[in-house]
Amino acid sequence: MLKTVVRRRVLTPVWVNGVQKLKITSQSVPRPPRGLVPPVLDESVHHVRCIQQLRSKDNDIEKYIYLSQLKDAEHRTFYKICLDNMSEITPIIYTPTVGDACLQFSHIYRRPEGLYVSIKDKGSIGKVLRNWPRIDDARISVVTDGSRILGLGDLGVNGMPIAIGKLSLYVAGAGIRPSSTIPICLDLGTNNPKFLEDPLYLGLRHPRVSKEEMTEFMEEFMHEMSVVFPKLLVQFEDFSTDKAFAHLSAFRERYPVFNDDIQGTGAVVLSGFMNAARLSSAASGRPLSDHRILFLGAGSAGVGVAMQLMSFFKLQGLSTEEARRRIWLIDSQGLIYNDRGPMAEHKKYFSRADYSGPPIMSLADIVQHVKPTALLGLSTLKSAFNQSVIELMSALNPRPIIFPLSNPVRLSECEYDEAVQWSNGKVIFASGSPFPSQEYQGHMLHPGQGNNMYIFPGLGLGAILARVSSVTDSMVEASSLGLADSLTEEEHNENLIYPRIERIRDISAQIAHGVIRAAQKAGVDQATYLRNLSDAALMEYIRSKMWKP
Ligand SMILES: NC(=O)C1=CN([C@@H]2O[C@H](COP(=O)(O)OP(=O)(O)OC[C@H]3O[C@@H](n4cnc5c(N)ncnc54)[C@H](OP(=O)(O)O)[C@@H]3O)[C@@H](O)[C@H]2O)C=CC1
Ligand SMILES: CC(=O)C(=O)O
Ligand SMILES: [Mg+2]
């Protein structure tokens, strides 16, 4: 007769003489009553069945819908196949396909997932939050207002899939318990005319509320979040640039919160840049401190990355002022410099004082003027890194660093095959969304993916385990250094600048370790009992806390 429970071996952390050890125990897992599942439903065969069903879909959005339903119906199976097939599944549940899912969300919507908090809830936001079914379990929330989803602009409540996708990566990539995640989409209206006219649009059908009204809403929202979910870390995602900077600085000292587009992107690019600069300097003989970085794009991502890259130069011994002078920014009006006239607050720090001629608009002219070793794109301007720009970068540098980081793929500043051809195979490349490897003159060349997905799972895990009261710059920098250090010897030998995504759990554990130590140093950790653990015991503790499907 079939038993109603089966026993499964699990590793449980236990304390022995003040040191944490792992003990093998067994756990009861309910089995459905006889007759309610087919007679032979072997788990590993079922995973093969699911992957085959996924691959049989005609297009990526169908694959996205299939995986959403699988997650809903059998979340363990979903996460198991994610973990076993990271490089195949990540581009479907995350960028680029999640961009299409957001664009079509009001049309492909099937069932509720996550929390919607709208401007109509102002004054009673706490009541809405208390409707969440798993309050005590809540540890991490990705919150968006849909005002700048990837490079696709204002998508209103259609931004929800980005919060859902990022949280799936927290679970798959860092072992956060699925029941501890809360995707939240704030509905403050939308300025997207197409959505305002779409009868199927799922959000409020009016323009975005004023800045003052949003500020009041956010104050109440963040306060109520901290009351209802006292152990929650908040990740702000895809707020348009003005709001991204304003809300981060308003809340970062008061609540455990970080902005993924400013800080997560800064950390992932710093990490890849450290590895890229070593390869580039090895070819040119130029000291690391001599790198010159030109950004196309000066929004939340561009300025966030520029700020974080200051640490690269400081690590080489440069002063803050010397580091600042190694960075040039371009926006839609061309090179950013003081004499150009009034500019948004977030652009001022990197505005150049050493140029005072007429505006320089063309990217090729700016490259000639700056003579950068690295060209980074966070502009949403498809194909901005054209043949002449890449040839120019290749004439200036034996191994130019080219990072087209805009998402999704169709907004990338250039494609990998173009960059390889136009640089004669010399480019050191990382993009925001994935590109396939290229064969060049008999060698396989591999692009990096400079996406904050490498950072936020580990940063979040470290912050949650240390129970931080705030997320400090030192924790963000530690996440970046943890990622840079996580490359294996084999990955170094292949000249990779980011580790393979298949190793995401190891990478996240290493990042979380650095983040916890940085939190302890800054004194923002409330889980003070972790301070006494040796490095090895802390690593063991982190791994033991990862949920496994
Ligand atoms: N790889 C990753 O991990 C991440 C990638 N991103 C991507 O970065 C991109 C930008 O995001 P974000 O900074 O928030 O967006 P913003 O819209 O705030 O920034 C875009 C920037 O590009 C500039 N720009 C636009 N058009 C041109 C042009 N024709 N010539 C020169 N500059 C131009 C804008 O200029 P102006 O200021 O004058 O308007 C602005 O400074 C998005 O595609 C996003 O997906 C974001 C986060 C993470
Ligand atoms: C990756 C990401 O966060 C973005 O493109 O906005
Ligand atoms: Mg983002």
Side-chain angles (χ1 to χ4, degrees), residues 494-512:
E494 283 188 64
N495 286 341
L496 300 187
I497 56 174
Y498 289 105
R500 293 191 197 292
I501 196 67
E502 282 73 14
R503 295 199 305 106
I504 187 71
R505 287 254 167 144
D506 287 339
I507 299 163
S508 296
Q510 193 157 343
I511 291 175

Side-chain angles (χ1 to χ4, degrees), residues 94 148 150 162 166 237-238 260-261 265 452:
Y94 186 51
R148 191 283 280 149
L150 305 173
I162 202 77
K166 294 241 170 188
E237 187 68 44
D238 289 4
D260 188 35
D261 299 293
T265 317
N452 47 35

